Amino acid sequence: MGNRNLENQIAIVTGAGSGIGRELCLSLAKRGAKIMVTDINEKGIEETKKLIEAQNGYAETYKLDVVDSDMVKNVMDEIYKKHNRIDILISNAGISTPPSLATKMPEEHWDKLLKVHLYGTFNCVKACGEYMKANNYGRIVLSSSLGGVFGFAGNVNYAVAKTGMVGMTYTLAKELGPYGITVNAVQPGIIRTPMTKDALKAFEEGFIKETPVRRIGEVDDVSNAIAFFCMPESSFVTGVVMRIDGGYILQSSMDQIMMDVCSK
Ligand code: NAP
């Protein structure tokens, strides 16, 4: 995938000032895309732009709070007016809230997280979708999570948001498919980013042990998968939710016992 198969395509990435979003910008830029680096964090987007330019890529920055639907519409309108196309939208912006059991979760944590993930993604898709339809082309990738597969104790808001992303992916794939627009999602396991810094500090060893490939996920594990969805050649791949977890979800304590027994 080292070729420039996204030459001059306009790619909007949300939450691009950090972690997976930043790496994704670098990866799509290497493939020739012009990157619209958006994030609520202004410092973060300027740093991402610098990194893209350091590898001779093209970047524009836009401060964007995905929760603010007017702001989202204005930014998408501005990008479309300038470039006359929007080819790729990666809805990646996300937050976490401090863990708490569902029965004890403060309502503001519930609201805040669902607003960023679900409303934010809806706002971005709504603002870009008609422009993609006008050009009969588009690649949309949403960010789900392993937490959207089997629930996430202590994080019911996150589990609901990431399961919701699956419903959005399937529905949008049906609605936008006739216009040459594909819609897919990634479900990363634990990936090393600022969001997971604290969890990894406490549990890294345990996660590694429970992951069949015996390592923690890195940001380029996710960006490589997203880049595949974004390729023009991936036009028959839509409504796919791809786990990127090193096999974590497959493992059970019974498997470990059997592997120990068999290797004696
Ligand atoms: P990250 O490093 O914290 O990056 C997320 C970025 O989104 C930050 O720059 C953040 O800004 C920004 N953001 C937050 N609220 C926003 C808003 N309202 N509008 C626009 N941008 C906003 O996190 P990450 O680990 O790269 O996660 C990226 C995505 O992958 C998220 O959707 C996350 O849920 C998902 N994911 C991550 C993992 C993992 O293990 N890391 C696993 C599964 C799924 P601030 O820093 O200012 O908040």
Side-chain angles (χ1 to χ4, degrees), residues 14-22 38-42 44-45 63-68 91-96 112 115-117 120 143-147 158 162 165 186-197 200 217 219 222 244:
T14 72
S18 175
I20 294 169
R22 171 171 290 165
T38 80
D39 199 300
I40 199 168
N41 180 333
E42 282 182 278
I45 51 180
K63 184 184 179 194
L64 179 63
D65 176 356
V66 293
V67 176
D68 181 340
S91 177
N92 163 79
I95 58 166
S96 56
K112 192 175 168 199
K115 280 259 156 75
V116 174
H117 290 259
S143 173
S144 180
S145 163
L146 271 204
Y158 194 82
K162 294 306 193 183
M165 227 53 90
V186 286
Q187 282 184 322
I190 190 126
I191 306 296
R192 197 184 306 279
T193 72
M195 187 183 272
T196 54
K197 204 168 71 209
L200 283 176
V219 282
V222 183
I244 306 163

Side-chain angles (χ1 to χ4, degrees), residues 208-215 245-251:
I208 291 175
K209 234 169 150 184
E210 288 167 18
T211 303
V213 303
R214 297 288 187 266
R215 68 174 176 86
D245 67 345
Y248 181 86
I249 200 177
L250 305 173
Q251 191 86 327

Side-chain angles (χ1 to χ4, degrees), residues 11-33:
I12 301 175
V13 180
T14 72
S18 175
I20 294 169
R22 171 171 290 165
E23 173 63 26
L24 182 61
C25 290
L26 295 170
S27 167
L28 297 181
K30 268 188 210 146
R31 292 166 167 87

Side-chain angles (χ1 to χ4, degrees), residues 135-240:
N135 282 346
N136 260 301
Y137 184 85
R139 298 282 177 267
I140 297 176
V141 184
L142 308 188
S143 173
S144 180
S145 163
L146 271 204
V149 182
F150 55 87
F152 192 8
N155 297 271
V156 67
N157 50 357
Y158 194 82
V160 167
K162 294 306 193 183
T163 307
M165 227 53 90
V166 176
M168 217 182 305
T169 301
Y170 292 157
T171 305
L172 292 170
K174 294 180 203 196
E175 291 186 3
L176 298 176
Y179 302 94
I181 303 167
T182 65
V183 187
N184 297 290
V186 286
Q187 282 184 322
I190 190 126
I191 306 296
R192 197 184 306 279
T193 72
M195 187 183 272
T196 54
K197 204 168 71 209
D198 292 342
L200 283 176
K201 228 184 256 164
F203 307 115
E204 175 154 357
E205 226 174 274
F207 285 133
I208 291 175
K209 234 169 150 184
E210 288 167 18
T211 303
V213 303
R214 297 288 187 266
R215 68 174 176 86
I216 297 297
E218 303 293 341
V219 282
D220 59 342
D221 291 314
V222 183
S223 66
N224 284 333
I226 294 180
F228 165 73
F229 285 139
C230 292
M231 295 194 317
E233 296 88 335
S234 299
S235 59
F236 209 57
V237 180
T238 194
V240 171

Side-chain angles (χ1 to χ4, degrees), residues 18-142:
S18 175
I20 294 169
R22 171 171 290 165
E23 173 63 26
L24 182 61
C25 290
L26 295 170
S27 167
L28 297 181
K30 268 188 210 146
R31 292 166 167 87
K34 294 183 172 174
I35 313 297
M36 309 294 118
V37 182
T38 80
D39 199 300
I40 199 168
N41 180 333
E42 282 182 278
K43 194 165 162 254
I45 51 180
E46 293 311 323
E47 281 168 16
T48 301
K49 181 172 190 263
K50 265 193 215 139
L51 292 168
I52 294 171
E53 289 171 349
Q55 58 176 39
N56 297 318
Y58 180 96
E60 292 172 19
T61 55
Y62 295 86
K63 184 184 179 194
L64 179 63
D65 176 356
V66 293
V67 176
D68 181 340
S69 55
D70 289 338
M71 191 178 190
V72 172
K73 176 136 184 33
N74 290 339
V75 167
M76 303 302 178
D77 287 354
E78 192 181 333
I79 292 170
Y80 187 76
K81 273 191 197 121
K82 184 164 177 189
H83 297 282
N84 207 27
R85 56 196 287 175
I86 294 174
D87 301 293
I88 296 170
L89 167 68
I90 315 296
S91 177
N92 163 79
I95 58 166
S96 56
T97 55
S100 60
L101 297 177
T103 51
K104 309 230 165 165
M105 180 172 285
E107 193 178 334
E108 72 253 35
H109 288 182
W110 170 262
D111 273 351
K112 192 175 168 199
L113 193 136
L114 292 190
K115 280 259 156 75
V116 174
H117 290 259
L118 283 180
Y119 287 58
T121 297
F122 174 70
N123 289 339
C124 292
V125 167
K126 198 169 166 199
C128 285
E130 289 301 318
Y131 288 140
M132 288 181 170
K133 275 162 89 171
N135 282 346
N136 260 301
Y137 184 85
R139 298 282 177 267
I140 297 176
V141 184
L142 308 188

